[in-house]
Amino acid sequence: PASHSIASSRPASQLAVAIDTSDIKNGLTVEIDGEPWKVLNFSIMKQARGAAKTTIKFKNLKKGNTLENTYRSGEKFETAMIEKKPAQYTYPDENDNLFFMDMETFEETMVESKVVEDVEKWIDEGMEVNLVYFKGEVIEVVVPQTMSYTIAETEPGIKGNTAQGVTKPAILSCGATITVPGYLSEGEAIKVDTNKGEFLSRDNE
C-alpha cells in the first residue's frame, strides 16, 4: 500500500508519444522542432479524391506566437513531454511576473507575465492552479475551468420580474469583467466558466 501512495502522488507526466492527424484534439501539446506547440483549433477538409487534409492552428507555448499549417491525413506528430504540478498563486512582482508555490515541495516558482497573459485575469489570491513544465521550464498556467469569485463591482441588483433577461457587466474579485444576470448584487459569490468567460450560477446553487 505504501508504494501505491507514492506512485499516485507523483506529478502527472506525459511521455512523448507518436500520433497522427486523427489523434489531434484541441488543447493537445505537441513538440515541433524541439518546441512545445498547443493545438488551439483544427478543421478537417474532405476532398473529392484522395485523403482528407487537416488544418491545425497552434500556439507556441514558449514564444506566444501562433502558426497555422495544413497536413495530409496520417501525418505524424510527437506529443510534448510535459509535466503538470499543482501550485498556489502567491504574489506578483513589479514586472508583472507571478509567483507560485509548489504544493508538494513548497518551493516558489516565478512565471513570466507572457506565459500567464491568457489566464491572468482569472487568477485570484491563494488560488490553486496547475503549472505545466516542458524541459524544466513553465510554459503554461492552467486554471480550473469552473471557479467561484465574488462580485467586486456592479450596478445594483434588479428585483422581481423586471430582472428576466436583463444582463449587466460585473467586475470580479480576480479583476476580470464578465456579463451577469441583472438580479445579482455586489458581494455575491458566483461560479464562472473560465474557458468561456461566462457566468454559470450563484455559488450556492
Side-chain angles (χ1 to χ4, degrees):
S3 63
H4 171 73
S5 62
I6 291 168
S8 63
S9 66
R10 280 185 191 152
S13 298
Q14 260 178 269
L15 296 173
V17 179
I19 60 168
D20 68 26
T21 49
S22 64
D23 301 307
I24 291 293
K25 58 182 187 283
N26 291 348
L28 182 73
T29 304
V30 299
E31 185 174 339
I32 302 172
D33 297 332
E35 302 213 317
W37 293 84
K38 182 178 182 176
V39 177
L40 297 180
N41 53 61
F42 67 97
S43 59
I44 297 168
M45 290 259 303
K46 293 253 186 339
Q47 293 175 303
R49 293 181 193 164
K53 288 190 174 179
T54 305
T55 299
I56 308 170
K57 186 174 185 180
F58 295 105
K59 179 181 181 182
N60 186 315
L61 292 176
K62 285 183 78 170
K63 297 175 180 169
N65 56 312
T66 57
L67 169 77
E68 191 168 276
N69 271 336
T70 301
Y71 300 90
R72 290 189 308 275
S73 182
E75 279 201 57
K76 297 276 191 281
F77 298 90
E78 194 170 273
T79 58
M81 285 180 67
I82 57 174
E83 188 176 32
K84 287 185 180 179
K85 293 184 181 179
Q88 185 177 39
Y89 172 56
T90 48
Y91 63 93
D93 69 11
E94 64 275 8
N95 299 317
D96 294 327
N97 300 312
L98 302 189
F99 285 81
F100 295 86
M101 183 180 72
D102 187 302
M103 301 296 283
E104 290 162 359
T105 64
F106 304 110
E107 289 175 8
E108 269 196 346
T109 300
M110 187 196 85
V111 179
E112 291 184 31
S113 56
K114 67 177 181 183
V115 174
V116 196
E117 60 185 0
D118 291 347
V119 296
E120 187 172 3
K121 63 184 178 183
W122 302 114
I123 298 177
D124 219 348
E125 196 176 326
M127 182 176 179
E128 283 187 33
V129 300
N130 273 318
L131 299 183
V132 179
Y133 288 82
F134 176 76
K135 298 181 179 176
E137 184 182 341
V138 177
I139 55 167
E140 191 177 13
V141 176
V142 180
V143 301
Q145 184 170 351
T146 302
M147 275 301 297
S148 295
Y149 298 102
T150 304
I151 296 177
E153 216 175 293
T154 192
E155 294 167 18
I158 304 165
K159 299 278 192 293
N161 297 334
T162 53
Q164 290 292 321
V166 175
T167 59
K168 60 185 179 180
I171 299 172
L172 308 180
S173 52
C174 59
T177 300
I178 68 163
T179 300
V180 300
Y183 57 79
L184 292 172
S185 306
E186 283 183 12
E188 287 198 74
I190 61 170
K191 286 181 184 164
V192 175
D193 181 325
T194 58
N195 280 3
K196 298 177 181 172
E198 291 175 2
F199 166 82
L200 294 173
S201 66
R202 279 187 165 124
D203 193 20
N204 55 3
E205 289 176 357

